[in-house]
Amino acid sequence: MVSFNNLYYYIFSIYIISLNSDAYRILVIAPLNSRSHTNMLESVAKALALKGHQIDVISHFEMKNPPKNYTTIINLDGSLKKMVNTWTMEMVEHFRYVDLIPTIIEEFGNNFCDLMGLEKMQRFIKNPPNDPPYNLVIVEALGANCFFGFGHVLNVPVVVVSALTEFLWFDEILGNPMSNAYAVNIRTKDFRIVTFWDRVKNHFWAHFNNYRFFKYTEENQTIAMRKYLSPNVPNIREIEKKTALLLVNAYQSFFGIRPLTPAVVQISGIQIELSETKLTKELKIWMDESSHGVVFFTLGSMVIIEDLPKEILLGIYAAFEKLSPIRVLMKIVNKEKLPPCLPKNVLTMSWIPQIPVLQHKNTKVFMTHGGLNSVQEGLYFAVPMIGFPLFGDQPLNIRLLADKNVAYEMNYKYITEKSLSNALYAVLYDPKYREATRRESHLFRDRPMSATDTAVFWIEYVIRNGANSLRSPAMDMPWWKAELVDVYVFFFISIILISFSVYFVLRNTSSLICSILNHSFTNHRKKD
């Protein structure tokens, strides 16, 4: 009887807990096959799973050792040309000088919508799970806004996650102030907003690029949604306006102060807080034994260092050899492609757990391409950097850090033994880099809530309170109304009309006074 009572109590307790459970079912879609971009969405998904929510993921990558309630329901691997460890310097040169906006629209936007036409995607779209149904959809915020249509089809709010600082069309979509007078963005990577003409260029490019994005995605992405999701899906512009929340990979100490509506939340560093990667036993021994310090060199998950021209690699060799007894750790995918005579103080590996390496006490310098996740990880652990920006947002990221003395900026095309030795000597031995990095690291980490808790809170807030709970009135206004252009025009015309009226009254009053005085003077003379 006691056993039966205990069993009854256990079942009843589970039932009561289930009635009061705040666990939700959430669909996460990561259409871009970039490892770094997916890391951002994976981190948000992992944070929610650890909070007890059921997470279903559609992605090109499967998480190693995911939480038990985190499931990759559709693996898109193989549906697109691979990007990990495949980018040569020729490809870098192409994307370095190409116009970024059309590239995002076509290569990382409109084309990605066709992923919804894959057979496994169609099976899911036509028969989504309903036991229980979804409460929310999370999608990457880049160029393929057609995936926002899943929220309409499933009748749930949509949260979007930007792996970069947000593109300005999301400011317009969410009614967030653009702050073009002083806020930097990816398009302003080559100049600082200081002068009048800087503000003119920044404002022009912000609105012109938004115009291009909205113009060249509207028809293609609307057609794709109606073809693959449902014939009754509204226009893509209407779908975008239903976005409930944007989580952005940025923070005020990095990109600067700017006004944000409650629907734009900064969660930079979430991938660091949730990382479980560890040093291998052999690498840990090597790092621990590197008592004179370690220089860590990687160009990220896409670009391969060994594809640099031979003369540049030999210059790097010579500079590294001069560092001894300081050691160097390099990510090299294919060591056979390197020139011979690699210095003895250099260790190469095809895969390196970046976060624990940067966290190690012996890491003194981080040589990086400037990818946003990478520079944030270096900043988080207060490791001064030497930056070799390649393309995309990387020039802006490195420039911002160089302005703060956290990074030493170099052009990868002009690396020589002398230039790299000068950079390494400066970052290793000039105290301004170490002191500035510690200060900026403190600012980056000093927050009222962790990035993880911030992301989870606002996502749950949207589910609890509805898609419109954070909606800005500016979402229903054209940009010229939101930025008071019509009001300024009204003031300008009013000032002109008032000025003209005052001028007209003064002129006529003056004429009348002069006429009276002349008449009086004439009469006075006649009397004389």
Side-chain angles (χ1 to χ4, degrees), residues 40 44 138 141 159-164 174 245-250 263-267 270 454-456 458-459:
M40 188 67 182
V44 173
I138 298 177
V159 170
V160 295
V161 178
S162 176
L164 309 172
L174 290 163
L245 175 69
L246 168 65
L247 300 176
V248 59
N249 193 11
V264 180
V265 176
Q266 298 178 330
I267 59 166
I270 188 172
T454 300
V456 170
W458 286 109
I459 289 172

mmCIF file with all atom_site columns, all heavy atoms in Angstrom, residues 40 44 138 141 159-164 174 245-250 263-267 270 454-456 458-459:
data_model
loop_
_atom_site.group_PDB
_atom_site.id
_atom_site.type_symbol
_atom_site.label_atom_id
_atom_site.label_alt_id
_atom_site.label_comp_id
_atom_site.label_asym_id
_atom_site.label_entity_id
_atom_site.label_seq_id
_atom_site.pdbx_PDB_ins_code
_atom_site.Cartn_x
_atom_site.Cartn_y
_atom_site.Cartn_z
_atom_site.occupancy
_atom_site.B_iso_or_equiv
_atom_site.pdbx_formal_charge
_atom_site.auth_seq_id
_atom_site.auth_comp_id
_atom_site.auth_asym_id
_atom_site.auth_atom_id
_atom_site.pdbx_PDB_model_num
ATOM 1   N N   . MET A 1 40  ? 25.917 31.273 -33.759 1.00 0.00 ? 40  MET A N   1
ATOM 2   C CA  . MET A 1 40  ? 25.092 32.256 -33.060 1.00 0.00 ? 40  MET A CA  1
ATOM 3   C C   . MET A 1 40  ? 23.691 31.708 -32.810 1.00 0.00 ? 40  MET A C   1
ATOM 4   O O   . MET A 1 40  ? 23.160 31.776 -31.687 1.00 0.00 ? 40  MET A O   1
ATOM 5   C CB  . MET A 1 40  ? 25.031 33.539 -33.889 1.00 0.00 ? 40  MET A CB  1
ATOM 6   C CG  . MET A 1 40  ? 24.370 34.701 -33.193 1.00 0.00 ? 40  MET A CG  1
ATOM 7   S SD  . MET A 1 40  ? 25.367 35.250 -31.788 1.00 0.00 ? 40  MET A SD  1
ATOM 8   C CE  . MET A 1 40  ? 24.323 36.561 -31.163 1.00 0.00 ? 40  MET A CE  1
ATOM 9   N N   . VAL A 1 44  ? 21.776 30.487 -29.126 1.00 0.00 ? 44  VAL A N   1
ATOM 10  C CA  . VAL A 1 44  ? 20.451 30.892 -28.654 1.00 0.00 ? 44  VAL A CA  1
ATOM 11  C C   . VAL A 1 44  ? 19.579 29.659 -28.417 1.00 0.00 ? 44  VAL A C   1
ATOM 12  O O   . VAL A 1 44  ? 18.892 29.548 -27.403 1.00 0.00 ? 44  VAL A O   1
ATOM 13  C CB  . VAL A 1 44  ? 19.783 31.848 -29.665 1.00 0.00 ? 44  VAL A CB  1
ATOM 14  C CG1 . VAL A 1 44  ? 18.339 32.134 -29.273 1.00 0.00 ? 44  VAL A CG1 1
ATOM 15  C CG2 . VAL A 1 44  ? 20.568 33.153 -29.760 1.00 0.00 ? 44  VAL A CG2 1
ATOM 16  N N   . ILE A 1 138 ? 12.432 30.862 -34.701 1.00 0.00 ? 138 ILE A N   1
ATOM 17  C CA  . ILE A 1 138 ? 13.640 31.691 -34.674 1.00 0.00 ? 138 ILE A CA  1
ATOM 18  C C   . ILE A 1 138 ? 14.374 31.491 -35.998 1.00 0.00 ? 138 ILE A C   1
ATOM 19  O O   . ILE A 1 138 ? 14.612 30.352 -36.411 1.00 0.00 ? 138 ILE A O   1
ATOM 20  C CB  . ILE A 1 138 ? 14.560 31.305 -33.499 1.00 0.00 ? 138 ILE A CB  1
ATOM 21  C CG1 . ILE A 1 138 ? 13.842 31.540 -32.165 1.00 0.00 ? 138 ILE A CG1 1
ATOM 22  C CG2 . ILE A 1 138 ? 15.863 32.094 -33.544 1.00 0.00 ? 138 ILE A CG2 1
ATOM 23  C CD1 . ILE A 1 138 ? 14.643 31.128 -30.948 1.00 0.00 ? 138 ILE A CD1 1
ATOM 24  N N   . ALA A 1 141 ? 18.722 36.589 -39.178 1.00 0.00 ? 141 ALA A N   1
ATOM 25  C CA  . ALA A 1 141 ? 18.450 37.898 -39.767 1.00 0.00 ? 141 ALA A CA  1
ATOM 26  C C   . ALA A 1 141 ? 19.612 38.281 -40.672 1.00 0.00 ? 141 ALA A C   1
ATOM 27  O O   . ALA A 1 141 ? 20.632 38.784 -40.211 1.00 0.00 ? 141 ALA A O   1
ATOM 28  C CB  . ALA A 1 141 ? 18.270 38.948 -38.667 1.00 0.00 ? 141 ALA A CB  1
ATOM 29  N N   . VAL A 1 159 ? 11.073 35.431 -34.063 1.00 0.00 ? 159 VAL A N   1
ATOM 30  C CA  . VAL A 1 159 ? 12.239 36.126 -33.516 1.00 0.00 ? 159 VAL A CA  1
ATOM 31  C C   . VAL A 1 159 ? 13.389 35.921 -34.484 1.00 0.00 ? 159 VAL A C   1
ATOM 32  O O   . VAL A 1 159 ? 13.596 34.801 -34.966 1.00 0.00 ? 159 VAL A O   1
ATOM 33  C CB  . VAL A 1 159 ? 12.615 35.580 -32.124 1.00 0.00 ? 159 VAL A CB  1
ATOM 34  C CG1 . VAL A 1 159 ? 13.959 36.136 -31.663 1.00 0.00 ? 159 VAL A CG1 1
ATOM 35  C CG2 . VAL A 1 159 ? 11.531 35.912 -31.115 1.00 0.00 ? 159 VAL A CG2 1
ATOM 36  N N   . VAL A 1 160 ? 14.120 36.986 -34.806 1.00 0.00 ? 160 VAL A N   1
ATOM 37  C CA  . VAL A 1 160 ? 15.239 36.861 -35.730 1.00 0.00 ? 160 VAL A CA  1
ATOM 38  C C   . VAL A 1 160 ? 16.543 37.150 -34.996 1.00 0.00 ? 160 VAL A C   1
ATOM 39  O O   . VAL A 1 160 ? 16.589 37.967 -34.071 1.00 0.00 ? 160 VAL A O   1
ATOM 40  C CB  . VAL A 1 160 ? 15.086 37.789 -36.961 1.00 0.00 ? 160 VAL A CB  1
ATOM 41  C CG1 . VAL A 1 160 ? 13.891 37.357 -37.786 1.00 0.00 ? 160 VAL A CG1 1
ATOM 42  C CG2 . VAL A 1 160 ? 14.941 39.246 -36.562 1.00 0.00 ? 160 VAL A CG2 1
ATOM 43  N N   . VAL A 1 161 ? 17.593 36.445 -35.399 1.00 0.00 ? 161 VAL A N   1
ATOM 44  C CA  . VAL A 1 161 ? 18.899 36.536 -34.740 1.00 0.00 ? 161 VAL A CA  1
ATOM 45  C C   . VAL A 1 161 ? 19.944 36.947 -35.772 1.00 0.00 ? 161 VAL A C   1
ATOM 46  O O   . VAL A 1 161 ? 20.113 36.261 -36.787 1.00 0.00 ? 161 VAL A O   1
ATOM 47  C CB  . VAL A 1 161 ? 19.299 35.195 -34.099 1.00 0.00 ? 161 VAL A CB  1
ATOM 48  C CG1 . VAL A 1 161 ? 20.683 35.299 -33.457 1.00 0.00 ? 161 VAL A CG1 1
ATOM 49  C CG2 . VAL A 1 161 ? 18.262 34.760 -33.073 1.00 0.00 ? 161 VAL A CG2 1
ATOM 50  N N   . SER A 1 162 ? 20.627 38.040 -35.532 1.00 0.00 ? 162 SER A N   1
ATOM 51  C CA  . SER A 1 162 ? 21.675 38.496 -36.436 1.00 0.00 ? 162 SER A CA  1
ATOM 52  C C   . SER A 1 162 ? 23.035 38.057 -35.912 1.00 0.00 ? 162 SER A C   1
ATOM 53  O O   . SER A 1 162 ? 23.408 38.379 -34.778 1.00 0.00 ? 162 SER A O   1
ATOM 54  C CB  . SER A 1 162 ? 21.650 40.018 -36.579 1.00 0.00 ? 162 SER A CB  1
ATOM 55  O OG  . SER A 1 162 ? 22.723 40.457 -37.393 1.00 0.00 ? 162 SER A OG  1
ATOM 56  N N   . ALA A 1 163 ? 23.779 37.315 -36.740 1.00 0.00 ? 163 ALA A N   1
ATOM 57  C CA  . ALA A 1 163 ? 25.127 36.884 -36.363 1.00 0.00 ? 163 ALA A CA  1
ATOM 58  C C   . ALA A 1 163 ? 26.131 38.022 -36.495 1.00 0.00 ? 163 ALA A C   1
ATOM 59  O O   . ALA A 1 163 ? 27.277 37.904 -36.071 1.00 0.00 ? 163 ALA A O   1
ATOM 60  C CB  . ALA A 1 163 ? 25.561 35.705 -37.224 1.00 0.00 ? 163 ALA A CB  1
ATOM 61  N N   . LEU A 1 164 ? 25.698 39.130 -37.093 1.00 0.00 ? 164 LEU A N   1
ATOM 62  C CA  . LEU A 1 164 ? 26.521 40.331 -37.245 1.00 0.00 ? 164 LEU A CA  1
ATOM 63  C C   . LEU A 1 164 ? 25.816 41.476 -36.529 1.00 0.00 ? 164 LEU A C   1
ATOM 64  O O   . LEU A 1 164 ? 24.711 41.316 -36.026 1.00 0.00 ? 164 LEU A O   1
ATOM 65  C CB  . LEU A 1 164 ? 26.703 40.674 -38.729 1.00 0.00 ? 164 LEU A CB  1
ATOM 66  C CG  . LEU A 1 164 ? 27.189 39.545 -39.642 1.00 0.00 ? 164 LEU A CG  1
ATOM 67  C CD1 . LEU A 1 164 ? 27.120 39.983 -41.095 1.00 0.00 ? 164 LEU A CD1 1
ATOM 68  C CD2 . LEU A 1 164 ? 28.612 39.142 -39.278 1.00 0.00 ? 164 LEU A CD2 1
ATOM 69  N N   . LEU A 1 174 ? 11.825 47.083 -38.061 1.00 0.00 ? 174 LEU A N   1
ATOM 70  C CA  . LEU A 1 174 ? 11.403 47.088 -36.663 1.00 0.00 ? 174 LEU A CA  1
ATOM 71  C C   . LEU A 1 174 ? 11.132 48.483 -36.120 1.00 0.00 ? 174 LEU A C   1
ATOM 72  O O   . LEU A 1 174 ? 10.830 48.641 -34.933 1.00 0.00 ? 174 LEU A O   1
ATOM 73  C CB  . LEU A 1 174 ? 12.468 46.403 -35.803 1.00 0.00 ? 174 LEU A CB  1
ATOM 74  C CG  . LEU A 1 174 ? 12.577 44.894 -36.015 1.00 0.00 ? 174 LEU A CG  1
ATOM 75  C CD1 . LEU A 1 174 ? 13.880 44.366 -35.465 1.00 0.00 ? 174 LEU A CD1 1
ATOM 76  C CD2 . LEU A 1 174 ? 11.409 44.179 -35.368 1.00 0.00 ? 174 LEU A CD2 1
ATOM 77  N N   . LEU A 1 245 ? 10.926 40.344 -32.517 1.00 0.00 ? 245 LEU A N   1
ATOM 78  C CA  . LEU A 1 245 ? 12.135 40.635 -31.751 1.00 0.00 ? 245 LEU A CA  1
ATOM 79  C C   . LEU A 1 245 ? 13.361 40.364 -32.605 1.00 0.00 ? 245 LEU A C   1
ATOM 80  O O   . LEU A 1 245 ? 13.389 39.401 -33.367 1.00 0.00 ? 245 LEU A O   1
ATOM 81  C CB  . LEU A 1 245 ? 12.165 39.748 -30.499 1.00 0.00 ? 245 LEU A CB  1
ATOM 82  C CG  . LEU A 1 245 ? 13.399 39.778 -29.590 1.00 0.00 ? 245 LEU A CG  1
ATOM 83  C CD1 . LEU A 1 245 ? 13.499 41.126 -28.878 1.00 0.00 ? 245 LEU A CD1 1
ATOM 84  C CD2 . LEU A 1 245 ? 13.332 38.643 -28.562 1.00 0.00 ? 245 LEU A CD2 1
ATOM 85  N N   . LEU A 1 246 ? 14.368 41.231 -32.483 1.00 0.00 ? 246 LEU A N   1
ATOM 86  C CA  . LEU A 1 246 ? 15.672 41.020 -33.122 1.00 0.00 ? 246 LEU A CA  1
ATOM 87  C C   . LEU A 1 246 ? 16.734 40.895 -32.044 1.00 0.00 ? 246 LEU A C   1
ATOM 88  O O   . LEU A 1 246 ? 16.924 41.805 -31.231 1.00 0.00 ? 246 LEU A O   1
ATOM 89  C CB  . LEU A 1 246 ? 16.013 42.195 -34.053 1.00 0.00 ? 246 LEU A CB  1
ATOM 90  C CG  . LEU A 1 246 ? 17.460 42.256 -34.563 1.00 0.00 ? 246 LEU A CG  1
ATOM 91  C CD1 . LEU A 1 246 ? 17.780 41.057 -35.453 1.00 0.00 ? 246 LEU A CD1 1
ATOM 92  C CD2 . LEU A 1 246 ? 17.724 43.563 -35.321 1.00 0.00 ? 246 LEU A CD2 1
ATOM 93  N N   . LEU A 1 247 ? 17.412 39.748 -32.022 1.00 0.00 ? 247 LEU A N   1
ATOM 94  C CA  . LEU A 1 247 ? 18.568 39.556 -31.144 1.00 0.00 ? 247 LEU A CA  1
ATOM 95  C C   . LEU A 1 247 ? 19.812 39.772 -31.988 1.00 0.00 ? 247 LEU A C   1
ATOM 96  O O   . LEU A 1 247 ? 20.016 39.085 -32.989 1.00 0.00 ? 247 LEU A O   1
ATOM 97  C CB  . LEU A 1 247 ? 18.558 38.143 -30.556 1.00 0.00 ? 247 LEU A CB  1
ATOM 98  C CG  . LEU A 1 247 ? 17.327 37.777 -29.725 1.00 0.00 ? 247 LEU A CG  1
ATOM 99  C CD1 . LEU A 1 247 ? 17.391 36.319 -29.294 1.00 0.00 ? 247 LEU A CD1 1
ATOM 100 C CD2 . LEU A 1 247 ? 17.192 38.683 -28.511 1.00 0.00 ? 247 LEU A CD2 1
ATOM 101 N N   . VAL A 1 248 ? 20.648 40.708 -31.594 1.00 0.00 ? 248 VAL A N   1
ATOM 102 C CA  . VAL A 1 248 ? 21.761 41.108 -32.443 1.00 0.00 ? 248 VAL A CA  1
ATOM 103 C C   . VAL A 1 248 ? 23.099 40.842 -31.764 1.00 0.00 ? 248 VAL A C   1
ATOM 104 O O   . VAL A 1 248 ? 23.253 41.040 -30.554 1.00 0.00 ? 248 VAL A O   1
ATOM 105 C CB  . VAL A 1 248 ? 21.619 42.596 -32.849 1.00 0.00 ? 248 VAL A CB  1
ATOM 106 C CG1 . VAL A 1 248 ? 21.585 43.496 -31.630 1.00 0.00 ? 248 VAL A CG1 1
ATOM 107 C CG2 . VAL A 1 248 ? 22.724 43.028 -33.797 1.00 0.00 ? 248 VAL A CG2 1
ATOM 108 N N   . ASN A 1 249 ? 24.059 40.391 -32.566 1.00 0.00 ? 249 ASN A N   1
ATOM 109 C CA  . ASN A 1 249 ? 25.394 40.061 -32.077 1.00 0.00 ? 249 ASN A CA  1
ATOM 110 C C   . ASN A 1 249 ? 26.234 41.335 -31.965 1.00 0.00 ? 249 ASN A C   1
ATOM 111 O O   . ASN A 1 249 ? 27.208 41.527 -32.692 1.00 0.00 ? 249 ASN A O   1
ATOM 112 C CB  . ASN A 1 249 ? 26.055 39.059 -33.031 1.00 0.00 ? 249 ASN A CB  1
ATOM 113 C CG  . ASN A 1 249 ? 27.299 38.432 -32.434 1.00 0.00 ? 249 ASN A CG  1
ATOM 114 O OD1 . ASN A 1 249 ? 27.573 38.581 -31.257 1.00 0.00 ? 249 ASN A OD1 1
ATOM 115 N ND2 . ASN A 1 249 ? 28.054 37.727 -33.260 1.00 0.00 ? 249 ASN A ND2 1
ATOM 116 N N   . ALA A 1 250 ? 25.852 42.197 -31.053 1.00 0.00 ? 250 ALA A N   1
ATOM 117 C CA  . ALA A 1 250 ? 26.540 43.477 -30.859 1.00 0.00 ? 250 ALA A CA  1
ATOM 118 C C   . ALA A 1 250 ? 26.406 43.871 -29.403 1.00 0.00 ? 250 ALA A C   1
ATOM 119 O O   . ALA A 1 250 ? 25.593 43.320 -28.659 1.00 0.00 ? 250 ALA A O   1
ATOM 120 C CB  . ALA A 1 250 ? 25.933 44.551 -31.764 1.00 0.00 ? 250 ALA A CB  1
ATOM 121 N N   . ALA A 1 263 ? 12.479 46.059 -28.981 1.00 0.00 ? 263 ALA A N   1
ATOM 122 C CA  . ALA A 1 263 ? 12.461 44.901 -29.880 1.00 0.00 ? 263 ALA A CA  1
ATOM 123 C C   . ALA A 1 263 ? 13.832 44.591 -30.476 1.00 0.00 ? 263 ALA A C   1
ATOM 124 O O   . ALA A 1 263 ? 13.975 43.626 -31.221 1.00 0.00 ? 263 ALA A O   1
ATOM 125 C CB  . ALA A 1 263 ? 11.452 45.116 -31.011 1.00 0.00 ? 263 ALA A CB  1
ATOM 126 N N   . VAL A 1 264 ? 14.845 45.394 -30.161 1.00 0.00 ? 264 VAL A N   1
ATOM 127 C CA  . VAL A 1 264 ? 16.217 45.137 -30.609 1.00 0.00 ? 264 VAL A CA  1
ATOM 128 C C   . VAL A 1 264 ? 17.072 44.929 -29.364 1.00 0.00 ? 264 VAL A C   1
ATOM 129 O O   . VAL A 1 264 ? 17.281 45.858 -28.580 1.00 0.00 ? 264 VAL A O   1
ATOM 130 C CB  . VAL A 1 264 ? 16.774 46.293 -31.462 1.00 0.00 ? 264 VAL A CB  1
ATOM 131 C CG1 . VAL A 1 264 ? 18.202 45.989 -31.903 1.00 0.00 ? 264 VAL A CG1 1
ATOM 132 C CG2 . VAL A 1 264 ? 15.887 46.543 -32.678 1.00 0.00 ? 264 VAL A CG2 1
ATOM 133 N N   . VAL A 1 265 ? 17.549 43.701 -29.173 1.00 0.00 ? 265 VAL A N   1
ATOM 134 C CA  . VAL A 1 265 ? 18.252 43.337 -27.945 1.00 0.00 ? 265 VAL A CA  1
ATOM 135 C C   . VAL A 1 265 ? 19.647 42.822 -28.282 1.00 0.00 ? 265 VAL A C   1
ATOM 136 O O   . VAL A 1 265 ? 19.817 41.948 -29.135 1.00 0.00 ? 265 VAL A O   1
ATOM 137 C CB  . VAL A 1 265 ? 17.465 42.249 -27.175 1.00 0.00 ? 265 VAL A CB  1
ATOM 138 C CG1 . VAL A 1 265 ? 18.236 41.796 -25.946 1.00 0.00 ? 265 VAL A CG1 1
ATOM 139 C CG2 . VAL A 1 265 ? 16.085 42.779 -26.783 1.00 0.00 ? 265 VAL A CG2 1
ATOM 140 N N   . GLN A 1 266 ? 20.650 43.354 -27.612 1.00 0.00 ? 266 GLN A N   1
ATOM 141 C CA  . GLN A 1 266 ? 22.040 42.985 -27.862 1.00 0.00 ? 266 GLN A CA  1
ATOM 142 C C   . GLN A 1 266 ? 22.445 41.794 -26.996 1.00 0.00 ? 266 GLN A C   1
ATOM 143 O O   . GLN A 1 266 ? 22.290 41.833 -25.772 1.00 0.00 ? 266 GLN A O   1
ATOM 144 C CB  . GLN A 1 266 ? 22.949 44.181 -27.578 1.00 0.00 ? 266 GLN A CB  1
ATOM 145 C CG  . GLN A 1 266 ? 22.667 45.380 -28.475 1.00 0.00 ? 266 GLN A CG  1
ATOM 146 C CD  . GLN A 1 266 ? 23.553 46.579 -28.156 1.00 0.00 ? 266 GLN A CD  1
ATOM 147 O OE1 . GLN A 1 266 ? 23.965 46.784 -27.022 1.00 0.00 ? 266 GLN A OE1 1
ATOM 148 N NE2 . GLN A 1 266 ? 23.853 47.372 -29.173 1.00 0.00 ? 266 GLN A NE2 1
ATOM 149 N N   . ILE A 1 267 ? 22.941 40.750 -27.641 1.00 0.00 ? 267 ILE A N   1
ATOM 150 C CA  . ILE A 1 267 ? 23.333 39.529 -26.906 1.00 0.00 ? 267 ILE A CA  1
ATOM 151 C C   . ILE A 1 267 ? 24.744 39.084 -27.298 1.00 0.00 ? 267 ILE A C   1
ATOM 152 O O   . ILE A 1 267 ? 25.061 37.902 -27.275 1.00 0.00 ? 267 ILE A O   1
ATOM 153 C CB  . ILE A 1 267 ? 22.324 38.393 -27.128 1.00 0.00 ? 267 ILE A CB  1
ATOM 154 C CG1 . ILE A 1 267 ? 22.207 38.035 -28.619 1.00 0.00 ? 267 ILE A CG1 1
ATOM 155 C CG2 . ILE A 1 267 ? 20.966 38.743 -26.553 1.00 0.00 ? 267 ILE A CG2 1
ATOM 156 C CD1 . ILE A 1 267 ? 21.502 36.723 -28.878 1.00 0.00 ? 267 ILE A CD1 1
ATOM 157 N N   . ILE A 1 270 ? 27.163 35.545 -26.375 1.00 0.00 ? 270 ILE A N   1
ATOM 158 C CA  . ILE A 1 270 ? 26.395 34.384 -25.889 1.00 0.00 ? 270 ILE A CA  1
ATOM 159 C C   . ILE A 1 270 ? 27.107 33.077 -26.216 1.00 0.00 ? 270 ILE A C   1
ATOM 160 O O   . ILE A 1 270 ? 27.066 32.120 -25.438 1.00 0.00 ? 270 ILE A O   1
ATOM 161 C CB  . ILE A 1 270 ? 24.955 34.394 -26.471 1.00 0.00 ? 270 ILE A CB  1
ATOM 162 C CG1 . ILE A 1 270 ? 24.113 33.301 -25.821 1.00 0.00 ? 270 ILE A CG1 1
ATOM 163 C CG2 . ILE A 1 270 ? 24.953 34.274 -27.984 1.00 0.00 ? 270 ILE A CG2 1
ATOM 164 C CD1 . ILE A 1 270 ? 22.636 33.354 -26.189 1.00 0.00 ? 270 ILE A CD1 1
ATOM 165 N N   . THR A 1 454 ? 19.710 37.244 -20.986 1.00 0.00 ? 454 THR A N   1
ATOM 166 C CA  . THR A 1 454 ? 19.013 38.293 -21.721 1.00 0.00 ? 454 THR A CA  1
ATOM 167 C C   . THR A 1 454 ? 18.236 37.706 -22.893 1.00 0.00 ? 454 THR A C   1
ATOM 168 O O   . THR A 1 454 ? 17.059 38.027 -23.103 1.00 0.00 ? 454 THR A O   1
ATOM 169 C CB  . THR A 1 454 ? 20.022 39.336 -22.247 1.00 0.00 ? 454 THR A CB  1
ATOM 170 O OG1 . THR A 1 454 ? 20.718 39.913 -21.135 1.00 0.00 ? 454 THR A OG1 1
ATOM 171 C CG2 . THR A 1 454 ? 19.316 40.441 -23.010 1.00 0.00 ? 454 THR A CG2 1
ATOM 172 N N   . ALA A 1 455 ? 18.891 36.838 -23.677 1.00 0.00 ? 455 ALA A N   1
ATOM 173 C CA  . ALA A 1 455 ? 18.235 36.223 -24.831 1.00 0.00 ? 455 ALA A CA  1
ATOM 174 C C   . ALA A 1 455 ? 17.027 35.397 -24.404 1.00 0.00 ? 455 ALA A C   1
ATOM 175 O O   . ALA A 1 455 ? 15.937 35.508 -24.982 1.00 0.00 ? 455 ALA A O   1
ATOM 176 C CB  . ALA A 1 455 ? 19.226 35.356 -25.600 1.00 0.00 ? 455 ALA A CB  1
ATOM 177 N N   . VAL A 1 456 ? 17.217 34.567 -23.386 1.00 0.00 ? 456 VAL A N   1
ATOM 178 C CA  . VAL A 1 456 ? 16.128 33.690 -22.934 1.00 0.00 ? 456 VAL A CA  1
ATOM 179 C C   . VAL A 1 456 ? 14.958 34.512 -22.401 1.00 0.00 ? 456 VAL A C   1
ATOM 180 O O   . VAL A 1 456 ? 13.792 34.239 -22.717 1.00 0.00 ? 456 VAL A O   1
ATOM 181 C CB  . VAL A 1 456 ? 16.638 32.711 -21.854 1.00 0.00 ? 456 VAL A CB  1
ATOM 182 C CG1 . VAL A 1 456 ? 15.476 31.968 -21.211 1.00 0.00 ? 456 VAL A CG1 1
ATOM 183 C CG2 . VAL A 1 456 ? 17.620 31.724 -22.459 1.00 0.00 ? 456 VAL A CG2 1
ATOM 184 N N   . TRP A 1 458 ? 13.913 37.611 -23.109 1.00 0.00 ? 458 TRP A N   1
ATOM 185 C CA  . TRP A 1 458 ? 13.115 38.337 -24.098 1.00 0.00 ? 458 TRP A CA  1
ATOM 186 C C   . TRP A 1 458 ? 12.389 37.406 -25.058 1.00 0.00 ? 458 TRP A C   1
ATOM 187 O O   . TRP A 1 458 ? 11.298 37.723 -25.540 1.00 0.00 ? 458 TRP A O   1
ATOM 188 C CB  . TRP A 1 458 ? 13.985 39.352 -24.839 1.00 0.00 ? 458 TRP A CB  1
ATOM 189 C CG  . TRP A 1 458 ? 14.314 40.531 -23.979 1.00 0.00 ? 458 TRP A CG  1
ATOM 190 C CD1 . TRP A 1 458 ? 15.517 40.846 -23.432 1.00 0.00 ? 458 TRP A CD1 1
ATOM 191 C CD2 . TRP A 1 458 ? 13.389 41.518 -23.517 1.00 0.00 ? 458 TRP A CD2 1
ATOM 192 N NE1 . TRP A 1 458 ? 15.412 41.980 -22.675 1.00 0.00 ? 458 TRP A NE1 1
ATOM 193 C CE2 . TRP A 1 458 ? 14.111 42.419 -22.707 1.00 0.00 ? 458 TRP A CE2 1
ATOM 194 C CE3 . TRP A 1 458 ? 12.032 41.735 -23.715 1.00 0.00 ? 458 TRP A CE3 1
ATOM 195 C CZ2 . TRP A 1 458 ? 13.516 43.518 -22.093 1.00 0.00 ? 458 TRP A CZ2 1
ATOM 196 C CZ3 . TRP A 1 458 ? 11.433 42.838 -23.100 1.00 0.00 ? 458 TRP A CZ3 1
ATOM 197 C CH2 . TRP A 1 458 ? 12.169 43.714 -22.301 1.00 0.00 ? 458 TRP A CH2 1
ATOM 198 N N   . ILE A 1 459 ? 12.967 36.247 -25.325 1.00 0.00 ? 459 ILE A N   1
ATOM 199 C CA  . ILE A 1 459 ? 12.247 35.271 -26.156 1.00 0.00 ? 459 ILE A CA  1
ATOM 200 C C   . ILE A 1 459 ? 11.019 34.758 -25.409 1.00 0.00 ? 459 ILE A C   1
ATOM 201 O O   . ILE A 1 459 ? 9.911  34.694 -25.960 1.00 0.00 ? 459 ILE A O   1
ATOM 202 C CB  . ILE A 1 459 ? 13.173 34.105 -26.553 1.00 0.00 ? 459 ILE A CB  1
ATOM 203 C CG1 . ILE A 1 459 ? 14.209 34.586 -27.574 1.00 0.00 ? 459 ILE A CG1 1
ATOM 204 C CG2 . ILE A 1 459 ? 12.375 32.946 -27.142 1.00 0.00 ? 459 ILE A CG2 1
ATOM 205 C CD1 . ILE A 1 459 ? 15.289 33.579 -27.890 1.00 0.00 ? 459 ILE A CD1 1
#
